[in-house]
């Protein structure tokens, strides 16, 4: 049975995630519907939309962080430290395979697409590394 | 670090969830402290001592 405390904490996290995704997708789709794609001005507008979404997420993640107890904070710090470094170590060889042409890159696209895919892969792998390290930390404390 | 948290909790017939609520931490944190897998910070240790009305040294055993 979740306590009121845990529900409040989970609520802050969910509000950060869902709200920022909603803000980003709404603004980005609106911008892309009306603005030309390969324009610096469009990139700036999308950056503004991204900043708005991140500001929302940052506020609610700050409230989430303040409500976490010290053990949960230690778990987060450990998980981000170990998980993200682990992700960099693991994905380094993948980058080499792409760089040396051993893995195919998308054809007929501008250089921005592989760059964006690389960023997304790094973010995703750090997130996965975080989850594994976070679960491992709590498992070790049982 | 070994501690007598579980004993003190049992003397008052509190569950881990009860103790967690009184300390404003999660039940998982209480479990981690009781099993000695996580050492609380000084503020939390003082909070525990005040809750049980005992000196910190009688609750947390240095072992050295």
């Amino acid at each position: 049975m979740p306590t009121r405390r845990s529900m409040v904490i989970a609520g802050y996290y969910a509000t950060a995630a869902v709200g920022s995704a909603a803000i980003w997708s709404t603004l980005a789709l609106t911008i892309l519907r009306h603005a030309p794609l390969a324009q610096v001005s469009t990139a700036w507008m999308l950056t503004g939309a991204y900043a708005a979404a991140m500001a929302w997420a940052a506020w609610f993640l700050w409230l989430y962080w303040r409500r976490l107890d010290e053990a949960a904070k230690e778990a987060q710090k450990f998980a981000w430290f170990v998980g993200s470094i682990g992700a960099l170590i693991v994905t380094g060889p993948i980058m080499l395979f792409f760089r040396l042409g051993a893995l195919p890159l998308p054809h007929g696209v501008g250089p921005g697409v592989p760059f964006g895919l690389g960023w997304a892969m790094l973010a995703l792998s750090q997130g996965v590394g975080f989850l594994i390290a976070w679960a491992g930390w709590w498992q070790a404390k049982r | 670090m070994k501690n007598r948290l579980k004993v003190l909790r049992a003397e008052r017939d509190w569950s881990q969830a009860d103790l967690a609520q009184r300390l404003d931490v999660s039940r998982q944190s209480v479990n981690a402290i009781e099993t000695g897998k996580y050492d609380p910070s000084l503020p939390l240790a003082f909070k525990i001592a005040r809750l049980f009305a005992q000196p910190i040294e009688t609750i947390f055993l240095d072992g050295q």
Side-chain angles (χ1 to χ4, degrees), chain A residues 60-140:
Chain A
F60 283 100
L61 288 175
W62 169 242
L63 294 175
Y64 162 82
W65 182 259
R66 283 184 60 187
R67 286 296 282 144
L68 281 184
D69 66 26
E70 58 182 60
K73 284 179 181 172
E74 284 302 310
Q76 291 272 338
K77 292 178 210 171
F78 173 84
W80 279 115
F81 182 76
V82 170
S84 55
I85 289 177
L88 287 174
I89 292 171
V90 167
T91 55
I94 298 175
M95 179 276 294
L96 287 174
F97 270 72
F98 276 113
R99 183 66 185 88
L100 296 174
L103 283 173
L105 283 171
H107 283 298
V109 295
V113 172
F115 185 90
L117 285 174
W119 182 90
M121 187 181 78
L122 200 56
L124 182 65
S125 60
Q126 286 187 318
V128 169
F130 164 84
L131 286 174
I132 293 171
W134 182 83
W137 192 93
W138 278 113
Q139 181 62 31

Side-chain angles (χ1 to χ4, degrees), chain B residues 40-60:
Chain B
S41 66
L42 269 180
L44 183 55
F46 273 107
K47 200 172 182 180
I48 292 170
R50 276 195 300 273
L51 179 66
F52 290 113
Q54 293 196 12
I56 287 182
E57 298 87 346
T58 63
I59 300 175
F60 295 96

Side-chain angles (χ1 to χ4, degrees), chain A residues 48-61:
Chain A
Y50 180 79
M54 289 303 105
W56 174 278
W59 173 248
F60 283 100
L61 288 175

Side-chain angles (χ1 to χ4, degrees), chain A residues 25-42:
Chain A
S25 55
T26 302
L27 290 177
L29 286 173
T30 304
I31 290 167
L32 292 173
R33 195 173 295 139
H34 299 291
L37 198 55
Q39 291 276 343
V40 174
S41 58
T42 304

Side-chain angles (χ1 to χ4, degrees), chain B:
Chain B
M1 181 179 282
K2 288 183 180 174
N3 59 78
R4 296 176 51 242
L5 208 61
K6 192 172 182 178
V7 169
L8 294 170
R9 179 172 61 81
E11 286 174 357
R12 288 153 181 79
D13 201 26
W14 291 345
S15 65
Q16 285 186 339
D18 292 333
L19 178 56
Q21 190 175 13
R22 284 171 165 80
L23 295 174
D24 196 26
V25 298
S26 65
R27 190 201 61 77
Q28 289 81 1
S29 297
V30 168
N31 183 66
I33 295 171
E34 282 188 359
T35 56
K37 301 275 182 70
Y38 174 76
D39 294 334
S41 66
L42 269 180
L44 183 55
F46 273 107
K47 200 172 182 180
I48 292 170
R50 276 195 300 273
L51 179 66
F52 290 113
Q54 293 196 12
I56 287 182
E57 298 87 346
T58 63
I59 300 175
F60 295 96
L61 311 173
D62 193 9
Q64 287 191 1

Side-chain angles (χ1 to χ4, degrees), chain A residues 4-27:
Chain A
R4 182 178 178 278
R5 183 182 182 282
S6 64
M7 287 174 61
V8 167
I9 291 173
Y12 284 141
Y13 196 89
T15 303
V18 173
S20 61
I23 290 169
W24 163 249
S25 55
T26 302
L27 290 177

